[in-house]
Amino acid sequence: SPANYLPQQPHKRGYGRHGGHGLEAFNAINVINDSLTEQLQDRKIIRHAIKTMEKIVTNRAKGLDHRPFFLAVGLHKPHIPWWIPESFMKQYPIEDIQLSPHPHLPTNVPDIALNNVLTGFWQTFNDIRRDTKHGAVPKNSPYSNQTISDWFAKKLRQAYFAAVSFTDSNVGLVLDAAKRFGLYRDSMTVVWGDHGYQLGDNNQWSKIDNFEHSTRLPLFIRLPDKNGDPATTGHSGALVESVDIFPTMVELATGYKLDSCPHNVNSSRATEQCTEGASFAELFDKPEVIDWKKAVFTQAPRAHPKRGQTGFSLGDENYMGMSIRTKEWRYTEWVKFDNKTGTPLWEELEA
């Protein structure tokens, strides 16, 4: 529920991140007293997850339900706006925060590849709007990202780091509860994020582009213990995608390998069960097999080719950046996009 994003509602009605339209805007960075932590949306989600695990254990003990279970726990942070308990902000003293080591735009980068979040969505936050006001933010240029002051850039980075640590703590609460209820050792655990984030890197903030910091995401998977012994730990340099997680979990949990979806969009939608990803289950036994997949893919929409403007609905997506990432390289094409059929028009190349 959007109303649960905030510990206390600082607006008159609705989810008040937008200035005007009958709503009072608020800040991107909001530090709250630790006593309010349990009122935050993510802590409510954590409590619900723990109660769900407790119910599973209780029903098993009563002989009411012995089925395997799947529990998805979705946390909002570190998504902006950042509502952060004070103790987590104190973990990152502002005097220790450094600016991005690569703050400049890539050489000869086309306008369409950049996002204009500071002239768009982020202008709905009071503190960001105040900081960019001195720079007379141009409304038609993605280069407006340069108008954030160094001081406030450090504040934004500090808040994001603190929000990540808050989420790390919340994930820990779920895992501790799983251990307490005896569910941890024989369960598969997956921790992942749906995208990366830019904090002034390449002069960009936020996401929704095809740069490395936006598209690279965290992924941790723990398998159940084998014969009572904890699973070994390791890391693989193989390329994997978000669409690979589902078929991987299915194969690891059941031994069943999902069929690939048909290439035709209508046939694919008519297929009850298939995957557009590929299981990387073999990497748990052979993490050194880093060439099991030759490339991975990302895409990002644009409403306008010159403003770095991102559409918020399918009807606004007039261009699409289609990006391919191999072990060593990334190549991206920005093309016209048919938002009625969801089809890239490869012959109409923009950049």
Side-chain angles (χ1 to χ4, degrees), residues 250-265:
V250 170
E251 182 176 354
L252 290 172
T254 69
Y256 179 71
K257 293 187 177 182
L258 291 170
D259 293 330
S260 297
C261 295
H263 291 298
N264 179 275
V265 64

Side-chain angles (χ1 to χ4, degrees), residues 47-107:
R47 290 198 298 273
H48 183 71
I50 292 174
K51 288 181 180 178
T52 301
M53 285 189 284
E54 185 176 22
K55 182 178 180 181
I56 291 171
V57 171
T58 300
N59 286 340
R60 286 180 172 182
K62 293 180 179 179
L64 300 176
D65 194 343
H66 291 284
R67 294 175 298 173
F69 69 92
F70 174 83
L71 178 63
V73 185
L75 300 175
H76 185 262
K77 294 296 167 281
H79 197 290
I80 200 170
W82 299 303
W83 291 83
I84 308 165
E86 186 177 15
S87 59
F88 287 90
M89 286 292 283
K90 288 182 177 179
Q91 294 179 25
Y92 299 93
I94 191 65
E95 58 269 20
D96 294 341
I97 302 299
Q98 303 295 315
L99 295 172
S100 169
H102 303 287
H104 304 296
L105 287 167
T107 303

Side-chain angles (χ1 to χ4, degrees), residues 144-197:
S144 61
N145 285 350
Q146 295 174 336
T147 63
I148 268 198
S149 66
D150 287 352
W151 173 83
F152 195 65
K154 290 182 178 181
K155 293 288 291 182
L156 292 170
R157 290 170 67 87
Q158 177 195 36
Y160 188 83
F161 298 158
V164 170
S165 288
F166 179 55
T167 293
D168 182 65
S169 172
N170 287 328
V171 171
L173 293 175
V174 175
L175 297 182
D176 286 345
K179 294 174 182 178
R180 190 165 63 249
F181 293 134
L183 299 173
Y184 182 76
R185 297 185 63 179
D186 62 353
S187 297
M188 185 191 320
T189 305
V190 180
V191 180
W192 71 293
D194 59 333
H195 55 80
Y197 212 72

Side-chain angles (χ1 to χ4, degrees), residues 17 48 61 83 118 150 165 215 218 225 238 286 293 313 319-320:
R17 69 186 179 195
H48 183 71
W83 291 83
L118 293 182
D150 287 352
S165 288
T215 57
D225 295 350
K286 301 176 182 178
K293 176 176 277 196
S313 65
Y319 298 84
M320 192 67 69

